[in-house]
Amino acid sequence: MNDIQRRAVAAGFVHALTCSREALEEWSRLPKTDAAAVGAFIQKTLGLAAAPSTDDLEAMSSYVQSDLQAQVKSVQAQDVDVVNHTGSFMMMQQG
C-alpha cells in the first residue's frame, strides 16, 4: 500500500468500529500482537482485496496515534474493554 491508502484504510477501519457493535466486539477479542490476524480482520471488515502487511499496519498505527485520536476516543467511549488497546493502533500492542 502507499501512504494515502494506508491512511484511508486506517481511518476507514476506525470509522467501521464506531459504526458496528459486532465489529467492535470481535475486535476486542482479537489478539493485537498477531499481525496476520489483525491484517485479516481489517481485510474482512473493510472488504479489501488483500490484508495489510506488517509494514502497512505499523504505518497505519503511527497515523492513528498521531492524527486520529479524536476518532479513537469515540471508539473507546463505546466500550471500556477496548480502551487499553484501541489507541495503540488498535493493532500492534495490547495494553
Side-chain angles (χ1 to χ4, degrees):
M1 283 185 203
N2 65 39
D3 194 48
I4 292 170
Q5 292 166 326
R6 288 173 172 157
R7 288 175 181 234
V9 169
F13 183 67
V14 173
H15 180 71
L17 293 178
T18 65
C19 293
S20 171
R21 182 71 182 172
E22 292 168 351
L24 181 59
E25 288 174 2
E26 189 173 347
W27 175 249
S28 294
R29 295 187 302 268
L30 191 72
K32 308 310 178 288
T33 55
D34 182 345
V38 168
F41 183 71
I42 292 171
Q43 178 184 15
K44 177 183 87 168
T45 301
L46 298 180
L48 302 176
S53 69
T54 301
D55 288 342
D56 293 332
L57 293 175
E58 289 173 5
M60 292 178 347
S61 177
S62 293
Y63 177 64
V64 169
Q65 291 177 36
S66 66
D67 294 326
L68 299 180
Q69 285 304 297
Q71 294 86 339
V72 168
K73 288 181 192 314
S74 177
V75 173
Q76 292 170 335
Q78 294 180 47
D79 189 338
V80 294
D81 291 337
V82 299
V83 170
N84 290 328
H85 51 255
T86 300
S88 298
F89 188 33
M90 318 164 8
M91 289 194 192
M92 299 313 294
Q93 301 174 348
Q94 191 160 351

